[in-house]
Amino acid sequence: MDSIFIGSEAVAAGELGVNDLRRRYRRLLPDVYGSLTAEPTLCDRITAGWLWTGREGVIAGAAASAILGAKWVDVNMPVELIWANNRAAPGVVTRRDTLLDGETTVRRGLTLTTAERTAFDLARGGSIGNAVARLDALARATVFKPADVIELAQRHPHVRGLRRVDRVLDLVDAGAGISTGDMVAATADPSRLSATADADSAPRARRLFHVPARHGLAGRTHRRRVRR
């Protein structure tokens, strides 16, 4: 039996009794269970979310990027799923987005959006700095091509956030080292950025978050330039 599983299936298969579920396992989501003693990991939570859909949903957004190998994904983030359900379970966000042929893949037995579709979704949501940081991490893990993301975007002409996709992709750097921790620190308190970002990523992070440099011309804010 897998470490994260659907309770009713385990009972129906004779692997567990109903009382065993209650006494020996932790209920993660309705009818989805995991270890009673071990704290669920991000991967456990993502797997639980997908099983909660009856294996019909598609893992998307930052959750998909984590399965694809991206680092610095917030372990406490809601698990994003493309699935038609308006009453999402706690810790889960569902969307009714359209997925076209070739926009899903299977990893670790889970159905999720491809790297290109994941990049497309991440580019459209949250702040510019947030989106770029997440795309940097995804690009490091998957080496997706921005041109392929643009081509995919052209197949979805009416989605929300479409107009900024090329702008965000233009700022992506697969070699950047801006972590989610740096991103959160900069959002909450820009002055903390230079203390959290590494030496190579700090200048770029300052541009993304409009953070003044601590050295050089005092009081001057370095802002990113957007090609028009």
Side-chain angles (χ1 to χ4, degrees), residues 52-72:
W52 170 74
T53 71
R55 301 182 180 86
E56 294 180 357
V58 177
I59 301 163
S65 73
I67 299 298
L68 289 167
K71 297 181 180 180
W72 306 311

Side-chain angles (χ1 to χ4, degrees), residues 11-207:
V11 171
E15 297 174 334
L16 292 171
V18 174
N19 289 334
D20 293 326
L21 281 177
R22 295 172 180 170
R23 290 186 290 105
R24 296 168 48 194
Y25 295 92
R26 183 200 305 255
R27 182 178 181 269
L28 302 177
L29 291 171
D31 201 23
V32 181
Y33 294 81
S35 170
L36 181 63
T37 56
E39 195 66 26
T41 65
L42 175 60
C43 186
D44 289 341
R45 293 182 55 243
I46 293 171
T47 301
W50 182 69
L51 289 176
W52 170 74
T53 71
R55 301 182 180 86
E56 294 180 357
V58 177
I59 301 163
S65 73
I67 299 298
L68 289 167
K71 297 181 180 180
W72 306 311
V73 179
D74 182 2
V75 296
N76 297 313
M77 66 169 192
V79 175
E80 195 170 336
L81 297 160
I82 297 178
W83 191 50
N85 187 315
N86 293 328
R87 300 182 66 180
V92 173
V93 173
T94 58
R95 304 199 323 251
R96 292 175 175 265
D97 291 6
T98 298
L99 290 169
L100 303 180
D101 290 344
E103 294 182 0
T104 63
T105 186
V106 176
R107 296 285 181 91
R108 307 181 193 177
L110 307 172
T111 305
L112 60 147
T113 51
T114 62
E116 293 74 21
R117 173 63 197 230
T118 302
F120 174 60
D121 291 338
L122 293 177
R124 295 184 294 119
S127 68
I128 294 291
N130 186 310
V132 173
R134 287 178 168 178
L135 285 169
D136 283 347
L138 179 63
R140 259 187 162 183
T142 66
V143 198
F144 70 82
K145 297 179 180 178
D148 292 337
V149 181
I150 294 297
E151 182 180 348
L152 184 151
Q154 292 172 349
R155 301 198 294 269
H156 297 271
H158 305 297
V159 299
R160 184 177 181 178
L162 179 66
R163 295 179 62 182
R164 78 173 209 178
V165 171
D166 57 347
R167 175 186 176 189
V168 172
L169 288 172
D170 193 46
L171 294 169
V172 173
D173 177 3
I178 305 175
S179 71
T180 301
D182 298 336
M183 176 179 65
V184 172
T187 302
D189 181 4
S191 66
R192 291 175 54 198
L193 181 61
S194 61
T196 57
D198 60 45
D200 293 330
S201 67
R204 182 167 179 275
R206 290 193 189 98
R207 291 197 299 274

